[in-house]
Amino acid sequence: MSQRFDTISFLSDYGRRDEFVGVVHSVVRSIAPAVAVLDITHDIAPYDVRAGGLALARSAQYLVPGVVLAVVDPGVGTGRRAVAVEVGDGQSYLVGPDNGLLAPAVAMVGGATAAITLDNPEYHLASPGPTFDGRDVFGPVAAHLCNGVPPSELGTSVDPAQLIPGVLPVSELHTDGSIRAEVLWIDTFGNVQLNVDPGQLDGWPPTVRVSGGDESRIANRVSSFADAPMGGVGLIVDSYGLLTIAIDRGSAAVSLGIGEADEIVLEPVEGRQPNVEAPVSLSPTRHRPEEEPS
């Protein structure tokens, strides 16, 4: 037996309407009754591997060492691999489909130190059909890992470099001084996280033109939500260290008419200007930032 774990952190796109989450919890408990299952979220949009990977990456450094069970799996039932990825030389394992979902979190915590293809059915549930690997493969494997089953018994070792990489967008600084960014995430409050490091705005004035969706607005760089003018747009460094568009007690996403993966253009504006709405018509052909493997 190898190291035991007492915690599984669980993320999926299952939602809460159906029984899927509860069934996976019960399967885990039937195999590893002493293990606590912590729900990260189950409200990832269906099939959205990109959003699931980003949520997992945001969470990774704060999760209890143990097993991460992540299931956003539009390729379930196909030839895509089911994997367990070791990080920190066995400090934790990430279990899920090999479709890029796990890759951003693996990179966030220093990269994979080993990987296993989960092809030993001894540690799976007998399945009446191939469409619920969260119940039949990933949940049972996560529970057996917590019980101390050596990863080598779960399947065949695979080179971590052969795993499907995650794809994360990269912001671009253009010759005109503007930054072409992409919306990574819109939270429950409508705050709009961008793929922009605050350091990219070093030397910029305190006002920035933000263009995206159907709107172009003047935003003030602020240090808290409440520092933004009433009804005005603020640019804030969020709790993950990235630049975020926010409106105090309002939804920046709704106000600007933008969604996840949309392009946002940031431009420095010399001199402080009133923070008012200024609708513009944007070109229907929108440049998208280049993407690179995480």
Side-chain angles (χ1 to χ4, degrees):
M1 303 294 279
S2 60
Q3 182 177 354
R4 290 175 173 266
F5 301 102
D6 61 7
T7 304
I8 293 173
S9 299
F10 184 18
L11 172 146
S12 78
D13 62 348
Y14 290 158
R16 292 287 191 175
R17 174 181 174 179
D18 299 305
E19 70 275 15
F20 305 138
V21 171
V23 167
V24 174
H25 273 260
S26 291
V27 166
V28 168
R29 186 171 180 83
S30 71
I31 297 169
V35 170
V37 180
L38 307 179
D39 294 303
I40 302 170
T41 180
H42 299 292
D43 291 325
I44 302 299
Y47 321 119
D48 195 339
V49 174
R50 174 188 180 277
L54 287 170
L56 205 58
R58 290 192 300 269
S59 308
Q61 61 185 311
Y62 302 103
L63 298 179
V64 176
V67 178
V68 174
L69 169 58
V71 190
V72 181
D73 194 15
V76 65
T78 70
R80 69 94 185 91
R81 288 183 294 195
V83 295
V85 182
E86 177 192 271
V87 296
D89 291 314
Q91 184 180 25
S92 293
Y93 289 86
L94 292 89
V95 175
D98 180 24
N99 60 4
L101 174 67
L102 307 179
V106 170
M108 183 67 69
V109 296
T113 50
I116 302 292
T117 297
L118 305 176
D119 53 9
N120 184 354
E122 180 181 348
Y123 294 98
H124 304 171
L125 293 188
S127 173
T131 63
F132 195 179
D133 278 355
R135 177 195 66 193
D136 301 329
V137 179
F138 302 128
V141 164
H144 286 302
L145 279 169
C146 289
N147 282 344
V149 173
S152 59
E153 291 190 18
L154 300 172
T156 306
S157 178
V158 61
D159 182 351
Q162 296 178 2
L163 300 177
I164 302 296
V167 179
L168 299 178
V170 177
S171 59
E172 292 184 309
L173 177 62
H174 279 223
T175 55
D176 63 2
S178 66
I179 294 175
R180 264 62 173 180
E182 184 171 315
V183 177
L184 293 180
W185 176 43
I186 297 173
D187 69 15
T188 300
F189 301 100
N191 301 313
V192 179
Q193 185 186 69
L194 305 178
N195 61 335
V196 176
D197 186 295
Q200 293 178 255
L201 270 60
D202 286 351
W204 282 36
T207 53
V208 176
R209 181 175 295 278
V210 177
S211 301
D214 299 322
E215 298 282 343
S216 179
R217 301 282 293 275
I218 298 298
N220 297 319
R221 298 172 65 186
V222 296
S223 58
S224 72
F225 298 115
D227 287 340
M230 183 64 68
V233 180
L235 282 178
I236 189 171
V237 179
D238 70 13
S239 60
Y240 296 100
L242 292 175
L243 203 66
T244 289
I245 307 169
I247 292 178
D248 185 28
R249 284 166 282 191
S251 170
V254 171
S255 180
L256 274 72
I258 55 180
E260 291 182 357
D262 278 358
E263 180 184 273
I264 300 294
V265 178
L266 304 178
E267 302 170 273
V269 177
E270 296 298 336
R272 196 171 185 83
Q273 300 187 23
N275 199 319
V276 296
E277 295 187 7
V280 297
S281 296
L282 301 181
S283 168
T285 302
R286 295 158 59 188
H287 172 79
R288 296 294 301 277
E290 295 179 359
E291 298 184 340
E292 66 177 19
S294 64

